[in-house]
Amino acid sequence: MSTTATPHKPVYLAVYDTLADWETGHATAHLARAGYEIRTVGPSTRPVTSIGGLRIQPDTALADVRPEDAALLILPGADLWDTSDDLAPFARTAGEFLAAGTPVAAICGATAGLARAGLLDDRAHTSAVSFYLAATGYAGVDGYVDTDAVTDGDLITAGPTEPVAFARQILRLLGVYDGEVLDAWYRLFHDSDAEAYAVLDKAGAL
């Protein structure tokens, strides 16, 4: 776990109608256990409803979020990324975060939103499948990596079936776990490897 003595800046989790419930839980749960405050940020402070029917009251509105006040912005997938321009402001904010050197983690449909905004043109990245992003008409096709999750500088991307790999990249980038502990964490939650439990228990990471 991180041993920094200074308080962590909060992690902002974007929430919007049709967001994919399953994609960010591993990341936010273990960030919270490591001392990060998780703040939900919506298009406004009006409640939103996830694809699984969960009603979420955002802590703050997107317009009030500044990259210098955050440790990370997490963008989950949602049907709205592909069916409207409603979430384009979140992609623009992601661009502001990256320009300021504040990390962004995008999974599933959020990667298409970043592609449309030009944020994947010059970065290694992944998503659900290469032709999903290619359909956006973005210029970054050659940077697509066919793997579970990718970190390029301050940007993390992943596909919808890889919430554990997505979380692993986030935990590594923020220094929550590393080395043997991070490997054990992944083996426990991705592979149900019982032997990894002992490593995490010894490290105080459970």
Side-chain angles (χ1 to χ4, degrees), residues 39-56:
R39 294 183 186 170
T40 52
V41 51
S44 69
T45 55
R46 291 192 295 273
V48 299
T49 304
S50 76
I51 198 168
L54 298 180
R55 191 170 184 269
I56 303 167

Side-chain angles (χ1 to χ4, degrees), residues 15 20 40 67 69 89 98 107 121 124 141 146-147 163 172 177 204:
V15 296
T40 52
D69 297 331
L98 292 170
I107 185 169
D121 288 353
V141 174
D146 188 12
T147 191
R172 176 187 288 126
Y177 306 135

Side-chain angles (χ1 to χ4, degrees), residues 78-103:
D79 291 345
L80 286 179
W81 283 112
D82 296 320
T83 59
S84 75
D85 293 327
D86 290 357
L87 302 186
F90 285 90
R92 288 195 292 271
T93 296
E96 295 168 4
F97 268 59
L98 292 170
T102 303

Side-chain angles (χ1 to χ4, degrees), residues 67-68 70-72 94-104 123 153-155 173:
E68 59 266 32
L72 173 72
E96 295 168 4
F97 268 59
L98 292 170
T102 303
V104 172
R123 295 179 171 92
D154 290 324
L155 178 64
L173 185 64

Side-chain angles (χ1 to χ4, degrees), residues 98-182:
L98 292 170
T102 303
V104 172
I107 185 169
C108 188
T111 62
L114 298 192
R116 295 186 188 97
L119 298 177
L120 303 185
D121 288 353
D122 301 309
R123 295 179 171 92
H125 59 276
T126 194
S127 184
V129 69
S130 61
F131 56 78
Y132 169 64
L133 288 189
T136 68
Y138 81 129
V141 174
D142 290 342
Y144 188 89
V145 183
D146 188 12
T147 191
D148 52 9
V150 171
T151 299
D152 186 335
D154 290 324
L155 178 64
I156 295 168
T157 51
T161 61
E162 299 295 342
V164 180
F166 183 59
R168 176 178 59 178
Q169 298 298 316
I170 290 171
L171 298 174
R172 176 187 288 126
L173 185 64
L174 294 186
V176 175
Y177 306 135
D178 58 18
E180 181 187 28
V181 174
L182 183 64

Side-chain angles (χ1 to χ4, degrees), residues 12 30 43 73 81 96 119 137 170 186 199 203:
Y12 284 92
H30 289 272
L73 172 65
W81 283 112
E96 295 168 4
L119 298 177
I170 290 171
Y186 182 77
V199 176

